[in-house]
Amino acid sequence: MKVTRRRIALASSGVAVAMFTAACSSGGFGAGTDDSNSTDGATIDVIAVNLPAQEDLVEMTAEHFTPETGITVNFTLLPENDVRAKITQEFSSQAGVYDVASLSNYEIPFYADNGWVAPIDDYLAEDTDFDLDDMLPSMMDSMTGSDGRTYGMPFEGQSSFTMYRQSVFDDLGLTMPDNPTWDEVAELAATIDEQTDMDGICLRGLPGWGQQLAPLNTVINTFGGTWFDENWDAQLTSPETVEAVEFYVELIQEHGEPGAAQAGYAECLNRFLQGDSAIWVDATNSGGPVEAESSPIAGDVGYAQSPVKLTDASGWLWTWSWGIQAASEKQDAAWEFVSWASSQEYEQLVAEKYDWSRVPYGKRQSTFDNPEFQEGAPFYAAAMEAILAADPNDPGVQPRPYTGVQFVGIPEFISLGTSVSEEIAAAIAGNVTVRDALESAQIAAQEVGDKYK
């Protein structure tokens, strides 16, 4: 089907969002196509992670997308762990309840190979408004299946970096290096913890392969550890991995947030925004809410690269993207939404309504090159450096049989990673030792590794 998407006006319409449903209007993407392919008046269901950029999307969809296309979008936004479980259940069963879902560069490859998501190459070829060449190659490479076809479209791309309260550092006479080591960060966190009423650092402890293990795996990599060696033998009790996990757990216990075993991304974001934590190592897209006009600490945050030990860089590589369910009966309307949400046009709309710090960046080169984005997003240089330096094929110091920086690129990692993270959360809570936690984790990991030998 030939895509003839109309350009959506860049002026704000002033339509408010009531609940997570974009109101329907007239107009349409279906103009110029036959009735069987018309999307005017269609309703699609989208399930997404409840991060700030996706929450903005709900409002922007009602104000711009629905009035211009006639497509109603019903949103379901859930916390990260919950949304992953629900999407996996929904897409593996091909129930067709949701037309579009938040998927990542972890899920897209094996969802594609299982036939759970629809290829979008034909849409990309026909959508003359979508500038595919502007998408970062590293992001698009992770959107393919083993057949080489494209199955997802990035909404925002990210790595990880170090954020810190500049005024606190200035008051204490401290300096954060542009490329810090973990030992330097730990020393800074200890100093702040001792001399202020703030936590020195906030790091995720909440169980979940995409929660606690996202930052922890980058620590394992840079300390010289890995989940599996090149023969698929589990390495969770290797000296390097044990050292990395003990370092991470002790840093949280001694200088991190209270209740860390139940603190994930959202909790660390809130603590950092409210002035409870002075250092935060997490996703580069955190710069948006940190520098937003409503942020109480906007303009008082410094940005550095993720801490390292043995590697030159340690930031992860991640994209929240859109996948269209293969069982969806509204794939034309679903693509119309996906292409708009990932477009240059959408980024401009967000910048005009809010500011450039709120733009879901990290997927398009033109955004990093935009002087307005550079001026409005003081984190842009550190974020771009981190994204470009991330290497999912070789993130550590030893060969490994899988891809992924902060995850192991195999389907079993959903279950394996979550169970291992629960063991480590117990160690963070002080219920077990790190070595005991990793002994249990090693057994579970080896059972998975044996399947790939």
Side-chain angles (χ1 to χ4, degrees), residues 163-405:
M163 297 161 278
Y164 58 97
R165 288 293 302 279
Q166 189 65 64
S167 62
V168 175
F169 273 64
D170 291 344
D171 290 344
L172 297 179
L174 303 176
T175 300
M176 175 69 74
D178 291 337
N179 293 279
T181 66
W182 269 113
D183 288 337
E184 289 171 331
V185 168
E187 184 177 348
L188 290 166
T191 299
I192 294 167
D193 194 18
E194 293 166 0
Q195 298 189 24
T196 73
D197 58 358
M198 302 175 73
D199 304 325
I201 194 167
C202 197
L203 294 168
R204 302 188 202 182
L206 181 68
W209 68 269
Q211 279 281 1
Q212 170 209 105
L213 288 188
L216 177 54
N217 280 339
T218 69
V219 180
I220 291 173
N221 290 334
T222 197
F223 271 64
T226 182
W227 277 69
F228 299 96
D229 66 16
E230 55 188 339
N231 298 315
W232 284 105
D233 287 321
Q235 299 294 303
L236 295 183
T237 53
S238 71
E240 297 85 358
T241 303
V242 172
E243 181 187 8
V245 178
E246 286 183 338
F247 174 88
Y248 188 87
V249 170
E250 289 172 5
L251 179 57
I252 291 177
Q253 290 176 335
E254 295 175 5
H255 306 299
E257 70 277 15
Q262 294 301 316
Y265 175 83
E267 289 75 18
C268 281
L269 170 62
N270 288 334
R271 291 192 68 79
F272 194 64
L273 289 176
Q274 297 306 316
D276 296 318
S277 297
I279 303 171
W280 182 29
V281 180
D282 215 296
T284 54
N285 67 343
S286 305
V290 165
E291 297 293 347
E293 291 182 358
S294 60
S295 169
I297 61 173
D300 184 29
V301 178
Y303 301 92
Q305 293 305 293
S306 286
V308 296
K309 186 176 180 67
L310 301 178
T311 58
D312 293 332
S314 69
W316 66 58
L317 187 68
W318 183 261
T319 172
W320 282 114
S321 62
W322 303 115
I324 299 174
Q325 186 168 183
S328 170
E329 296 180 354
K330 304 170 185 176
Q331 292 184 15
D332 289 350
W335 167 251
E336 181 69 351
F337 168 77
V338 167
S339 63
W340 173 76
S342 295
S343 66
Q344 293 172 323
E345 174 187 338
Y346 177 75
E347 293 185 358
Q348 184 69 38
L349 286 167
V350 173
E352 291 185 356
K353 180 175 177 62
Y354 303 109
D355 54 65
W356 279 102
S357 68
R358 296 270 285 267
V359 168
Y361 71 98
K363 61 183 181 292
R364 289 185 174 273
Q365 185 61 50
S366 61
T367 309
F368 282 124
D369 295 339
N370 188 332
E372 291 181 322
F373 175 72
Q374 295 176 4
E375 181 179 355
F379 49 82
Y380 89 93
M384 182 170 64
E385 180 180 345
I387 291 172
L388 296 178
D391 184 358
N393 296 313
D394 188 23
V397 300
Q398 56 183 289
R400 58 194 67 196
Y402 59 88
T403 60
V405 180

Side-chain angles (χ1 to χ4, degrees), residues 17-25 41-49 54-55 57-62 65-66 69-78 83 86-87 90-91 96-102 322-323 328 330 333-334 337 340:
V17 174
M19 301 182 295
F20 284 147
T21 302
C24 182
S25 181
T43 297
I44 62 172
D45 290 277
V46 175
I47 181 169
V49 63
Q54 284 80 350
E55 293 170 353
L57 178 63
V58 174
E59 186 170 353
M60 299 299 290
T61 298
F65 179 76
T66 293
T69 65
I71 300 171
T72 300
V73 184
N74 296 325
F75 287 90
T76 298
L77 301 186
L78 296 172
V83 80
K86 192 169 185 64
I87 290 170
E90 163 71 16
F91 276 53
V97 174
Y98 296 100
D99 303 286
V100 178
S102 281
W322 303 115
S328 170
K330 304 170 185 176
F337 168 77
W340 173 76

